[in-house]
Amino acid sequence: MPKGKLMVDAATQRMNMVESQVLTSDVTDQRVVRAMRELPRERFVPGAMAELAYMDEAIALTPPGPDRRWLLPARTEGKLLQLADVGAEDHVLNIGCGTGYAAAILARLARSVIALENNEELVAGARRNLAELAVTNASVVSGRLSAGWPSKAPYDVILLQGSISITPDDILDQLKDGGRMVAIVNDNGIGKATIWRRLGRSMDARVAFDAAAPELPGFAKAPAFVL
């Protein structure tokens, strides 16, 4: 950056992100919009990436590797949160919470949040971020993402922070009657944001909109056996 040129401050970048990425993507839930306007997204990315926190694409949270993790683009995050329709008394499971950005938003919408992560560095970072922001109704737990967190079930809402290629029945079993799960389903490279709703013993699934996201560890299809 040339000397004398002032960097746009984070608050301005955050406002621009909401105006140009979130609101233009038909996110009309004012609770979600307000939270995204107020939460410092730059806290939730690696320090070297802070200047890129408000760009319109996924941001890497971990180094390259088979289980690399990402912060979802704001427009995708906002649409998923709106689709989940979180109520003030809801108990929420956030799977693949990364550094805690979605968990911090959910904590403003819900009564309680369990934020599940399997990467210990991300677990520590998420706990630190939530503590520094004085979030008291969200707990970060460490465990296998594809197992969910049954000890605190049932949940009103389950939100997965990435795409999946299989339907996670063990996680759907952790929904209470009337509860819903939101995830991006990757079908042969095409992503569809999908909402499942438990209706007694049955489960209704509905595709809501097109979306793309990196895949979460543990949710890939097993390789097909070829003769």
Side-chain angles (χ1 to χ4, degrees):
M1 180 177 292
K3 290 183 179 180
K5 185 176 180 179
L6 297 177
M7 292 182 62
V8 177
D9 66 273
T12 300
Q13 292 184 64
R14 190 155 56 248
M15 182 64 69
N16 290 339
M17 176 194 76
V18 171
E19 295 293 330
S20 65
Q21 299 173 34
V22 179
L23 294 178
T24 57
S25 298
D26 298 321
V27 178
T28 57
D29 187 326
Q30 289 305 305
R31 304 167 305 151
V32 174
V33 172
R34 186 181 307 110
M36 298 185 84
R37 277 199 180 112
E38 296 174 354
L39 279 171
R41 186 174 165 92
E42 68 275 8
R43 280 179 176 259
F44 296 90
V45 300
M49 304 286 287
E51 293 185 4
L52 306 178
Y54 295 98
M55 66 180 184
D56 188 16
E57 58 185 79
I59 300 172
L61 300 176
T62 58
D67 292 336
R68 195 175 197 187
R69 305 298 298 286
W70 303 80
L71 177 66
L72 296 182
R75 69 173 70 242
T76 303
E77 194 74 79
K79 294 188 72 162
L80 291 174
L81 288 161
Q82 178 168 271
L83 180 61
D85 191 23
V86 180
E89 296 300 316
D90 283 351
H91 178 46
V92 180
L93 175 62
N94 181 214
I95 296 179
C97 73
T99 52
Y101 180 66
I105 296 176
L106 287 164
R108 293 181 172 220
L109 308 177
R111 174 175 55 86
S112 59
V113 179
I114 301 295
L116 174 62
E117 182 50 62
N118 70 342
N119 180 304
E120 291 301 329
E121 289 187 10
L122 293 179
V123 168
R127 287 174 175 164
R128 182 176 60 252
N129 289 332
L130 295 180
E132 290 176 352
L133 292 170
V135 177
T136 59
N137 62 331
S139 300
V140 182
V141 296
S142 177
R144 184 163 54 92
L145 302 185
S146 59
W149 199 252
S151 66
K152 294 294 184 180
Y155 300 96
D156 297 283
V157 174
I158 300 175
L159 176 65
L160 283 76
Q161 297 299 121
S163 68
I164 61 177
S165 297
I166 58 173
T167 300
D169 292 330
D170 289 347
I171 293 175
L172 286 170
D173 286 343
Q174 295 171 36
L175 284 175
K176 66 173 56 173
D177 191 14
R180 54 256 178 234
M181 185 181 84
V182 170
I184 295 172
V185 177
N186 181 7
D187 185 10
N188 295 319
I190 299 174
K192 302 285 185 180
T194 304
I195 181 168
W196 292 258
R197 189 178 301 272
R198 175 170 291 285
L199 303 169
R201 294 185 178 181
S202 64
M203 196 72 64
D204 174 69
R206 174 177 66 86
V207 172
F209 54 87
D210 293 341
E215 193 162 71
L216 279 174
F219 293 95
K221 288 182 179 178
F225 180 74
V226 179
L227 293 175

